[in-house]
């Protein structure tokens, strides 16, 4: 889905943005084999091991020259970017974090951005940390955040939910 969307749905001046890249597999899948620049944002919660794996993957798969990396908290990101035509969110899944990230990166989105949110049906587990000021509505915090985003953005529609485990929402 990511590779097809980057190759077929983006305008020439648009880029790909991924929040929460882990080791970079989905990032590489999105930009490999097409002429799009991608931007990755991750705090690499396990220190440098994942950051090193990300760097190795973008190098090994030949996309390093089209990959920009921000190593830090996504809500601290405030750099210049081209318009984003496709955004993949796979960052913090605790209640409120998905919504806050969608709000934070909204200024970068083009008028017809495709947003894919991963793990929409993941359940809040033990140790779940709500974003300050948010209460748990259900046991599916990402779903709650996506529903709130859609309420706040009536021009945005839920296009589909993928059938895979925990599902992805395509907006």
């Amino acid at each position: 889905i990511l590779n097809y969307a980057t190759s077929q749905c983006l305008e020439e001046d648009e880029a790909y943005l991924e929040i929460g890249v882990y080791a970079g597999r989905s990032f590489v899948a999105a930009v490999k084999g097409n002429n799009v620049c991608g931007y990755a944002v991750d705090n690499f919660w396990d220190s440098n091991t994942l950051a090193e794996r990300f760097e190795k993957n973008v190098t090994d798969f030949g996309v390093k020259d089209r990959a920009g990396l921000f190593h830090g908290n996504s809500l601290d990101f405030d750099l210049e970017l081209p318009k984003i035509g496709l955004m993949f969110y796979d960052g913090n899944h605790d209640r409120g974090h998905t919504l806050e990230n969608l709000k934070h990166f909204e200024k970068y989105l083009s008028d017809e951005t495709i947003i894919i949110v991963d793990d929409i049906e993941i359940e809040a587990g033990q140790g779940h940390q709500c974003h300050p000021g948010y209460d748990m509505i259900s046991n599916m915090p990402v779903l709650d955040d996506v529903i709130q985003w859609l309420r706040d953005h009536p021009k945005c529609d839920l296009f589909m939910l993928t059938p895979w485990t925990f599902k992805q929402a395509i907006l």
Side-chain angles (χ1 to χ4, degrees), residues 111 150 152-157:
D111 291 338
L150 290 169
D152 294 345
H153 296 81
K155 292 183 179 179
C156 185
D157 292 318

Side-chain angles (χ1 to χ4, degrees), residues 49-111:
T49 304
L50 287 174
E52 290 168 2
R53 286 175 58 194
F54 175 82
E55 290 290 338
K56 181 176 180 356
N57 281 332
V58 296
T59 300
D60 289 352
F61 287 96
V63 299
K64 185 175 177 81
D65 62 325
R66 294 181 285 119
L69 172 63
F70 177 79
H71 186 164
N73 185 320
S74 58
L75 295 176
D76 293 333
F77 185 91
D78 196 23
L79 301 174
E80 292 289 322
L81 286 179
K83 283 293 184 185
I84 300 301
L86 174 63
M87 180 173 128
F88 180 55
Y89 181 83
D90 193 14
N92 189 326
H93 297 329
D94 287 341
R95 173 76 179 124
H97 288 270
T98 303
L99 181 60
E100 286 303 309
N101 275 280
L102 290 171
K103 288 179 184 178
H104 184 75
F105 285 91
E106 182 176 353
K107 65 184 173 189
Y108 299 105
L109 306 180
S110 70
D111 291 338

Side-chain angles (χ1 to χ4, degrees), residues 80-148:
E80 292 289 322
L81 286 179
K83 283 293 184 185
I84 300 301
L86 174 63
M87 180 173 128
F88 180 55
Y89 181 83
D90 193 14
N92 189 326
H93 297 329
D94 287 341
R95 173 76 179 124
H97 288 270
T98 303
L99 181 60
E100 286 303 309
N101 275 280
L102 290 171
K103 288 179 184 178
H104 184 75
F105 285 91
E106 182 176 353
K107 65 184 173 189
Y108 299 105
L109 306 180
S110 70
D111 291 338
E112 295 185 7
T113 296
I114 299 167
I115 301 171
I116 300 175
V117 179
D118 198 32
D119 298 327
I120 194 165
E121 289 188 354
I122 199 165
E123 293 185 6
Q126 191 171 18
H128 176 85
Q129 298 291 314
C130 288
H131 197 278
Y134 290 84
D135 296 322
M136 281 297 291
I137 296 170
S138 76
N139 67 336
M140 290 189 213
V142 178
L143 176 62
D144 292 343
D145 285 356
V146 169
I147 289 169
Q148 185 59 52

Side-chain angles (χ1 to χ4, degrees), residues 1 115-117 120 157-164 167-171:
I1 291 173
I115 301 171
I116 300 175
V117 179
I120 194 165
D157 292 318
L158 174 62
F159 177 69
M160 74 176 285
L161 292 175
T162 62
W164 306 295
K167 297 186 174 41
Q168 291 78 34
I170 302 176
L171 312 176

